[in-house]
Amino acid sequence: MCQHSYFHALAMGVAQERLHCVPNGVDAEVFRPDVAPARPTLRAQLGLAQDVPLMGFVGRLSPEKGPELFVQAAQLLQRRCPQMHAVLVGEGPLHSALAQQIEDAGLAARVHLAGGCEDMPGLYPQLQLLVCSSHSEAMPLAVMQAMAAGLPVIATRVGGVPDLVVHGETGWLVPPRDAQALATQAAALLDRPARAQAMGAAARQRAQQQFALGHSAAAMQGLYRALVWPAAVGTRTAAQEPACPPMPCQETP
């Protein structure tokens, strides 16, 4: 589903004619900047005022997602943006360890464990930005959903994330396991709301144009047709279909 996995498979010796790359898609009509959140809102649940800056982590609370790195970044960010709050939305095996990390760091009043969420389209418009602190990834749906909802994304440069986030245009990419870099870029966006808004608009446009759900579904349908009924797609078989759709490779900043 991403170039990183595709080229990794090639490096492992998988024959190119047996590989196809179909990126995930996101429904930009469901995930939009103007979706009204369910009641009570996330801020109401957390006891926060409407004007409090709120950055979010959305995903499973598991080791590969790096939620502990998000908490570390939030701790560093407190020194520059003391009014900022951070929220982790999701469930997982690290919940207890994260609660202890937050308590030990004296962040209980600023960093919140919100648990699961049933209203994902209504969640993203309540955040100022999304942080993806993963140690490993394929093509994270949370990042795609946040982009479709018009949020700038600050993410570690792992897996297929660079296929999604255009560094300096729709958000920022930082080195893996670098809490300081996450905090620095988050502070820069929180300090410059106009820049954050512009990046969010660019993120939504990219999600609509490059990662529309219909495009992904059509590509997968075409692959299945070629595999099951190669004669039905003319002389081109599955092995002759384009192996990996063109996506702009980004230069390492």
Side-chain angles (χ1 to χ4, degrees), residues 62-171:
S62 54
E64 72 279 3
K65 295 293 185 180
E68 81 291 343
L69 191 69
F70 176 81
V71 176
Q72 294 170 20
Q75 183 177 11
L76 294 169
L77 189 56
Q78 285 293 309
R79 302 167 189 170
R80 180 166 171 180
C81 303
Q83 77 282 10
M84 183 275 307
H85 283 247
V87 60
L88 296 99
V89 179
E91 305 279 5
L94 293 184
H95 185 280
S96 296
L98 290 167
Q100 189 62 56
Q101 180 186 1
I102 292 168
E103 183 68 28
D104 291 346
L107 297 172
R110 294 288 180 176
V111 180
H112 313 274
L113 289 165
C117 177
E118 295 183 359
D119 178 30
M120 296 306 296
L123 168 70
Y124 294 105
Q126 301 180 72
L127 305 175
Q128 265 66 57
L129 59 94
L130 182 86
V131 173
C132 175
S133 52
S134 295
H135 303 311
S136 65
E137 273 293 355
M139 204 166 196
L141 289 175
V143 170
M144 302 182 79
Q145 292 168 355
M147 290 175 63
L151 286 185
V153 176
I154 300 171
T156 48
R157 184 183 285 276
V158 296
V161 175
D163 292 353
L164 297 171
V165 179
V166 180
H167 182 78
E169 181 178 329
T170 68

